[in-house]
């Protein structure tokens, strides 16, 4: 399933895009684009695929997507068969990294939001009060112009910069285009993981790559990724498994061992924990 690259139109008198997507169902195919994107579903239900993550959406669902992250929203059959008693509807915001100039994202006031943009490379599902606040702002933006519209986007940036109410979606392994502005130590650690995730990696081994003791490494890793090393390694392995499963030339047992799992039961358990479905069901779901 190859993603289509979209080039999005923009009004010449506006620095970023706000639009309503409405119809019997959401028509866009599996695609990606250079823009960062907020998607608020106001009506309809279905499933969304973001990178290698498959989740379900209904009214009020809000996600923030990084640049070049493939995604698609697939409505439930009642919409696809045009049997729903209302239209599918969503509000969307698109902006580029340089939508206010080359240096805008480097100003001190935007530092915390830059970190959020890094996280968005995996896709972020917003929840709780954060989602409620941002949803109310987005609902009003189609009728806004000028500084009112721009200041509302800045308010969203501020809310995003000060929240922990989100879930990351695509796995690190799937996201091939991300780059971290960090130390050489950090790059060595992530590089080692990506090259050796299919093998057993002990804490002592990976800590030595960063020239740290095990305790210092665990603290360092949790601060950078907001998950433990073991949790991160599992997401990398499952992300690679999703890629192999999509190729249809390996059975589930082969995929499990190629991704570093020593037994099929553990692979199935970890896959279902992260994807809410079995590897076999995931392979069937890719036929969208």
């Amino acid at each position: 399933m190859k993603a289509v690259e979209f080039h999005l139109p923009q009004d010449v008198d506006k620095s970023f895009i706000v639009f309503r997507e409405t119809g019997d169902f959401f028509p866009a195919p599996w695609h990606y684009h250079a823009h960062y994107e907020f998607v608020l579903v106001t009506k309809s239900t279905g499933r969304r695929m973001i990178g290698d993550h498959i989740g379900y959406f209904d009214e009020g669902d809000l996600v923030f997507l990084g640049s070049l992250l493939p995604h698609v929203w697939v409505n439930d059959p009642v919409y696809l068969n045009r049997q729903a008693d209302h239209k599918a509807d969503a509000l969307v915001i698109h902006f580029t990294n340089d939508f206010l100039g080359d240096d805008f994202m480097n100003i001190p006031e935007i530092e915390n939001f830059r970190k959020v943009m890094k996280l968005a490379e995996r896709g972020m599902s917003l929840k709780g009060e954060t989602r409620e606040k941002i949803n109310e702002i987005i609902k009003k933006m189609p009728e806004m112009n000028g500084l009112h519209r721009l200041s509302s986007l800045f308010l969203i940036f501020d809310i995003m910069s000060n929240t922990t109410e989100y879930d990351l979606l695509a796995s690190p392994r799937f996201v091939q285009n991300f780059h971290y502005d960090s130390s050489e130590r950090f790059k060595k650690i992530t590089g080692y993981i990506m090259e050796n995730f299919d093998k057993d990696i002990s804490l002592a081994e990976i800590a030595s790559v960063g020239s740290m003791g095990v305790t210092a490494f665990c603290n360092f890793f949790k601060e950078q990724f907001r998950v433990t090393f073991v949790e991160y390694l599992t997401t990398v392995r499952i992300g690679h498994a999703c890629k192999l499963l999509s190729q249809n030339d390996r059975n589930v047992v082969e995929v499990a061992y190629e991704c570093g799992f020593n037994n099929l039961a553990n692979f199935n358990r970890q896959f279902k924990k992260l994807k809410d479905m079995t590897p076999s069901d995931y392979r069937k779901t890719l036929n969208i």
Side-chain angles (χ1 to χ4, degrees):
M1 184 169 54
K2 186 176 180 180
V4 178
E5 183 177 5
F6 275 15
H7 297 277
L8 305 172
Q10 182 169 331
D11 295 335
V12 295
D13 61 339
K14 295 180 174 63
S15 59
F16 65 99
I17 303 166
V18 180
F19 68 95
R20 182 180 297 277
E21 181 77 68
T22 188
D24 293 319
F25 53 85
F26 300 139
W30 176 242
H31 69 284
Y32 65 95
H33 43 69
H35 291 70
Y36 289 81
E37 179 175 24
F38 285 96
V39 179
L40 164 59
V41 176
T42 58
K43 289 183 181 179
S44 84
T45 59
R47 54 196 168 95
R48 48 172 163 74
M49 186 171 181
I50 297 171
D52 58 357
H53 173 86
I54 295 176
Y56 295 87
F57 68 84
D58 55 15
E59 183 174 331
D61 185 69
L62 176 66
V63 298
F64 179 43
L65 306 178
S67 175
L68 305 180
L69 178 61
H71 55 278
V72 66
W73 270 247
V74 181
N75 296 98
D76 282 334
V78 66
Y79 295 93
L80 297 175
N81 297 330
R82 295 177 170 84
Q83 296 173 338
D85 58 5
H86 56 266
K87 299 289 188 181
D89 189 80
L91 292 170
V92 184
I93 299 173
H94 286 144
F95 64 92
T96 58
N97 187 60
D98 59 352
F99 79 110
L100 291 179
D102 293 337
D103 297 325
F104 171 69
M105 287 299 173
N106 295 320
I107 64 174
E109 290 84 355
I110 212 76
E111 179 179 359
N112 286 338
F113 188 65
R114 282 201 301 273
K115 297 176 182 178
V116 173
M117 293 175 73
K118 283 293 183 184
L119 294 174
E121 290 175 347
R122 292 176 58 187
M124 304 171 71
S125 174
L126 285 302
K127 53 189 181 180
E129 291 185 8
T130 298
R131 183 175 71 176
E132 293 178 9
K133 291 178 181 177
I134 295 177
N135 283 2
E136 288 305 309
I137 296 170
I138 293 177
K139 288 176 182 178
K140 299 174 183 176
M141 289 180 70
E143 308 304 320
M144 295 178 185
N145 285 296
L147 287 177
H148 191 195
R149 186 171 178 266
L150 183 59
S151 63
S152 293
L153 183 63
F154 283 173
L155 181 55
I156 293 173
F157 288 178
D158 183 60
I159 295 171
M160 293 286 293
S161 299
N162 295 283
T163 186
T164 58
E165 294 182 306
Y166 59 81
D167 293 320
L168 297 180
L169 303 178
S171 69
R173 179 66 184 178
F174 183 91
V175 183
Q176 297 294 322
N177 66 303
F178 73 104
H179 301 281
Y180 287 91
D181 296 326
S182 56
S183 64
E184 286 302 316
R185 169 185 288 173
F186 186 76
K187 293 176 182 177
K188 286 180 181 178
I189 290 170
T190 54
Y192 189 88
I193 293 171
M194 292 303 177
E195 291 176 7
N196 297 280
F197 68 88
D198 57 336
K199 309 178 183 69
D200 287 331
I201 306 177
S202 68
L203 277 173
E205 178 184 353
I206 190 65
S208 68
V209 173
S211 302
M212 289 182 282
V214 170
T215 300
F217 168 79
C218 289
N219 292 335
F220 171 82
F221 199 92
K222 186 67 178 287
E223 180 182 353
Q224 295 289 334
F225 279 105
R226 304 189 184 187
V227 296
T228 66
F229 165 69
V230 173
E231 291 170 334
Y232 180 84
L233 180 60
T234 299
T235 62
V236 170
R237 287 171 170 170
I238 296 300
H240 187 59
C242 290
K243 177 182 178 181
L244 296 181
L245 288 168
S246 70
Q247 296 172 351
N248 288 317
D249 60 351
R250 296 173 176 83
N251 62 44
V252 173
V253 175
E254 291 174 324
V255 169
Y257 283 97
E258 283 190 43
C259 295
F261 291 93
N262 293 324
N263 65 77
L264 183 60
N266 185 42
F267 172 61
N268 286 329
R269 183 170 56 253
Q270 296 298 336
F271 195 101
K272 190 168 185 179
K273 181 179 178 181
L274 286 176
K275 300 298 177 185
D276 294 322
M277 65 184 74
T278 66
S280 297
D281 287 341
Y282 180 85
R283 174 171 274 167
K284 295 175 184 176
T285 308
L286 290 176
N287 296 318
I288 58 177

